Amino acid sequence: MKLLEGKIALVTGASRGIGKGIALKFAEHGAHVGFTYLSSVEKGLELEEELKSFGIKAKGYQSDAADFNAAEILINQVHADFGRIDVVVNNAGVTRDGLLMRMTEENFDDVIKTNLKSVFNITKALQKIMLRQRSGSIINISSVVGIRGNSGQANYAASKAGIIGFTKSVALELGSRNIRCNAVAPGFIETEMTAVLDEAMIQGWRNAIPLKRGGQVEDVANLCVFLGSDMSAYITGQTISVCGGMLT
Ligand code: NAP
């Protein structure tokens, strides 16, 4: 069953990792997909072709989600190219980890700008389109770290906690117009990034998770399909963890 047949979706930060997994899963479920990346032009072009092989319309955009004006230009361009926007996944994110003692102002500002302000930028530009449509689903990728904090990630945890507060507020403001806004909080998801880490350390993380495995990008993407689809029509303002029971 295709859950997103004919819907128009935009996924930020989809050149690799979780964003790419979401874009592919959306295409598999019949959505037309716009997606962004910051600098991975080559990977963006490859993904565009891969998405089109599902028989849907796909287009990649090089756009900095942390830049307010660029976000507005992006949203207007996607709207012009696809005609409407039904589902947006604010996924673009970075880490600049370090203990507070060593964390620079730049490390803090970079993470807040890319992870949190980007969600404001995109949602702000998007809301006028969704208000006119009187429908829409906004999905913001937070993290379990935004719920419980993490040593060495004060900047990242603050950005991801901020996303949760933003999500709840937008859900309250736009609910009466049939626009939903939810946050997804992934736990430890195994991506290209984690594949280069020490296997013994990774195994230690897996053992500490009740389901005894790291999450796959598909685990996060499947929840995004549900939240983007009409199956979740009565769900808004929620933060849903995809963490194998880690946060229990
Ligand atoms: P990733 O592999 O590092 O990919 C990040 C993506 O974001 C890339 O496509 C990158 O594009 C893009 N990006 C970075 N800065 C951007 C900007 N300013 N504007 C537009 N795009 C930008 O990350 P990931 O592990 O898949 O994580 C995706 C999201 O899930 C992030 O929000 C992350 O915080 C969250 N998350 C991840 C985990 C995990 O275990 N992996 C757990 C919890 C939450 P370029 O390739 O062009 O740089």
Side-chain angles (χ1 to χ4, degrees), residues 13 15-18 38-40 63-65 91 142 156 160 186-187 189:
S15 55
R16 55 194 147 90
I18 293 173
L38 183 61
S39 53
S40 306
S63 178
D64 183 356
N91 167 78
S142 177
Y156 183 79
K160 294 298 184 181
I189 307 300

Side-chain angles (χ1 to χ4, degrees), residues 19-97:
K20 181 178 177 184
I22 295 169
L24 287 168
K25 190 61 80 178
F26 275 19
E28 191 186 316
H29 277 274
H32 303 290
V33 183
F35 68 91
T36 74
Y37 51 87
L38 183 61
S39 53
S40 306
V41 179
E42 197 83 340
K43 285 184 177 173
L45 290 171
E46 277 169 28
L47 179 62
E48 199 176 290
E49 290 313 308
E50 207 177 335
L51 289 168
K52 283 178 183 164
S53 71
F54 287 90
I56 51 94
K57 183 173 171 179
K59 188 167 176 183
Y61 303 83
Q62 185 170 18
S63 178
D64 183 356
D67 180 326
F68 184 79
N69 293 324
E72 176 148 34
I73 292 167
L74 168 76
I75 293 296
N76 289 337
Q77 192 59 52
V78 173
H79 191 234
D81 290 342
F82 288 85
R84 55 185 288 123
I85 306 178
D86 299 302
V87 184
V88 168
V89 185
N90 283 307
N91 167 78
V94 291
T95 50
R96 299 278 185 275
D97 296 353

Side-chain angles (χ1 to χ4, degrees), residues 209-247:
I209 294 169
L211 287 180
K212 300 292 170 209
R213 66 172 178 88
Q216 303 300 306
V217 293
E218 291 77 16
D219 294 316
V220 181
N222 284 333
L223 175 58
C224 292
V225 168
F226 172 68
L227 289 174
S229 79
D230 298 337
M231 297 267 286
S232 59
Y234 202 51
I235 299 175
T236 194
Q238 304 306 305
T239 302
I240 305 177
S241 297
V242 188
C243 64
M246 184 202 268
L247 194 77

Side-chain angles (χ1 to χ4, degrees), residues 142-200:
S142 177
S143 167
V144 292
V145 164
I147 301 170
R148 69 165 193 200
N150 199 22
S151 169
Q153 289 196 308
N155 51 359
Y156 183 79
S159 73
K160 294 298 184 181
I163 286 177
I164 294 172
F166 183 84
T167 299
K168 290 179 181 181
S169 304
V170 169
L172 294 174
E173 283 187 30
L174 303 183
S176 64
R177 308 295 180 88
N178 194 31
I179 298 165
R180 300 183 293 111
C181 187
N182 291 289
V184 168
F188 166 51
I189 307 300
E190 299 193 19
T191 60
E192 294 103 313
M193 214 167 60
T194 55
V196 298
L197 299 174
D198 177 55
E199 178 57 24

